[in-house]
Each structure stands twice: as C-alpha cells, then as structure tokens.
C-alpha cells in the first residue's frame, strides 16, 4: 500500500523567502507525481505534474523535482508572496492518486 | 472551457439517510474519480469510472456506490449515512487511457455534513 508523507506539516515564512516543501512515498512504481494547492474549504488546483520519466518540472516561480529511486519529491517556491498562503498537497499516481496530508504554508507580509 | 463542476456545493443530511452527489468532467475527459477528504487530511480515493464501468476502488464500504453516464458525468451515492461520512467530496477528471497525460483536474467539491 502506497504511503505518502509530507514534511513539514506547517510552515510560516516572511514574504520574499524561498519555500521548500518535501514529499516522500514508499512505492516507486508510479506513473507520475502531481503537486496541488488547496485554499481553505476549496477544491484542488493542479500546480505541476512530473511524469515518472522526468526529473523535474518548472512553472513560473515553482519548480518540482522527482527522485523515484529514493521515493522523494521536492517543491520549491521562489520569492514567496502572501498569496502563496495555502495547503500544498503532493499525490503519487499508480492509476489512482495517493495523497499526503499536506503542508500548510503561511507567508507573512 | 468549463472545468470540472460538482453539485450541490453544500449538503446537510441526517444519520441513516442517503445522498447523491454529482460531477461533470472537464471537456474532453472521459475518466472520473471520486475522493473523500476529511478535515485536516489528504483526500482518500473512493473509486474511478471509465466507459461507464468502475475500474478501481479504494478501501470504502459498499455503502459507497457510483455511476457514470454516457456523457461521462458521474454520481456518487452514499447509503445509511454515518457521522464519519462528513467530509469534502471531490471529483476529478482526466483524459482516458489513450492519452499520454494522466493529469487530474479537480472540481470545487461538495461539503457533506451528517448530523
């Protein structure tokens, strides 16, 4: 059974600081890994998808890396802004998504 | 292009009742998955529908059932509601197996409260 862990559970940083969010998973037989953002009480917004053959994916200030052999992914958010405050979830796809519990980020103005 | 839509937005039910939640996938998507998200937790996979058949199922009791229609929309039914069924129910759609992308797109969710 796939287990996904996200560390830390919560993070508070001043505006402008870079964010590093970690995700680990137990079974490396995955098709892809997806990072999502969730605002309180809302649905999930897809941020980045990394296919199993890729090592990283970038979109604007966001960069995500994937190391399947070690079962790890990292999401980097450069120059954080108060609007980045949300819960960030990673999910591994082996024909269904298995999610971590998320990292709740607060960016202080 | 409308994304994934879900209805209703909020729902309050009493223990023992039955509920039906609805989902319309993103245009061009034919695979629909349902997830349950309890407060403070990550979403948990319930089941997935493709070509009107349940393809995969997570660790949920038979009280949870679903259906997919020819237009790819889907329903989630929950019978004999328990207090523990209170959660945000999320629907996700994705392109079919023929696609090279398995990116899943989520709807806004239905907040179910069981009293």
């Amino acid at each position: 059974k796939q287990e996904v862990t996200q560390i830390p559970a919560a993070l508070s940083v001043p505006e402008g600081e870079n964010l590093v969010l970690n995700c680990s998973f137990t079974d490396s037989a995955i098709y892809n890994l997806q990072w999502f953002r969730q605002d309180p009480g809302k649905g999930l917004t897809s941020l980045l998808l990394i296919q199993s053959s890729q090592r990283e994916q970038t979109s604007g200030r966001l960069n995500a890396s994937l190391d399947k052999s070690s079962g790890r992914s990292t999401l980097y958010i450069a120059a954080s802004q108060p609007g980045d405050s949300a819960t960030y979830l990673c999910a591994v796809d082996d024909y269904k998504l298995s999610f971590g519990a998320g990292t709740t980020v607060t960016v202080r103005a | 292009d409308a994304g994934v839509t879900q209805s209703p937005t909020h729902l309050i039910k009493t223990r023992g009742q039955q509920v039906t939640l609805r989902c319309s996938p993103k245009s061009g998507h034919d695979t629909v998955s349902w997830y349950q998200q309890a407060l403070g937790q990550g979403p948990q996979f319930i089941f997935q529908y493709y070509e009107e058949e349940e393809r995969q199922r997570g660790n949920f009791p038979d009280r949870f059932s679903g259906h997919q229609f020819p237009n790819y929309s889907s329903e989630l039914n929950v019978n004999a509601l328990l207090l523990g069924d209170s959660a945000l129910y999320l629907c996700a759609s994705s392109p079919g197996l023929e696609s090279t992308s398995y990116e899943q797109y989520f709807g806004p969710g239905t907040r179910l409260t069981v009293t």
Side-chain angles (χ1 to χ4, degrees):
Chain A
K1 180 183 177 234
Q2 182 75 263
E3 300 285 346
V4 182
T5 304
Q6 290 188 247
I7 294 173
L11 192 57
S12 179
V13 300
E15 183 176 3
E17 193 163 300
N18 296 332
L19 290 164
V20 180
L21 309 180
N22 297 300
C23 172
S24 62
F25 49 95
T26 54
D27 187 346
S28 62
I30 64 171
Y31 291 97
N32 58 57
L33 183 144
Q34 214 168 336
W35 282 93
F36 295 90
R37 169 187 171 133
Q38 186 173 34
D39 293 294
K42 305 294 185 183
L44 277 60
T45 300
S46 179
L47 298 174
L48 291 168
L49 178 141
I50 312 175
Q51 301 204 11
S52 60
S53 58
Q54 297 176 315
R55 296 283 292 185
E56 67 177 329
Q57 194 68 251
T58 299
S59 176
R61 294 185 294 112
L62 275 59
N63 174 275
S65 65
L66 173 63
D67 184 342
K68 269 183 58 175
S69 61
S70 66
R72 295 179 188 277
S73 177
T74 302
L75 177 66
Y76 301 89
I77 303 177
S80 61
Q81 303 168 359
D84 294 329
S85 298
T87 295
Y88 291 83
L89 295 154
C90 77
V92 296
D93 189 346
D94 52 5
Y95 275 130
K96 66 183 185 302
L97 293 182
S98 296
F99 285 85
T103 295
T104 299
V105 171
T106 303
V107 180
R108 307 185 304 272
Chain B
D1 172 29
V4 180
T5 60
Q6 293 185 243
S7 63
T9 304
H10 296 90
L11 206 50
I12 300 175
K13 290 286 189 177
T14 303
R15 275 179 299 176
Q17 286 187 318
Q18 178 265 345
V19 67
T20 297
L21 311 181
R22 296 176 176 83
C23 171
S24 291
K26 181 177 169 65
S27 177
H29 288 183
D30 57 8
T31 301
V32 173
S33 303
W34 286 91
Y35 295 82
Q36 179 196 66
Q37 186 177 26
L39 206 60
Q41 298 181 23
Q44 298 290 317
F45 174 75
I46 302 175
F47 42 53
Q48 182 182 79
Y49 277 84
Y50 172 69
E51 293 189 340
E52 302 179 52
E53 298 283 336
E54 183 183 290
R55 292 182 61 241
Q56 286 197 88
R57 188 179 184 90
N59 189 25
F60 279 80
D62 292 344
R63 298 187 297 108
F64 289 76
S65 63
H67 188 77
Q68 186 178 35
F69 299 93
N71 66 353
Y72 308 125
S73 67
S74 177
E75 289 182 348
L76 164 65
N77 301 292
V78 187
N79 295 322
L81 284 166
L82 304 174
L83 294 179
D85 295 331
S86 295
L88 181 67
Y89 288 84
L90 296 163
C91 170
S93 73
S94 57
L97 297 179
E98 312 79 38
S99 171
T100 57
S101 169
Y102 292 97
E103 187 167 4
Q104 295 205 23
Y105 293 82
F106 281 77
T110 293
R111 172 69 64 188
L112 172 65
T113 302
V114 182
T115 61

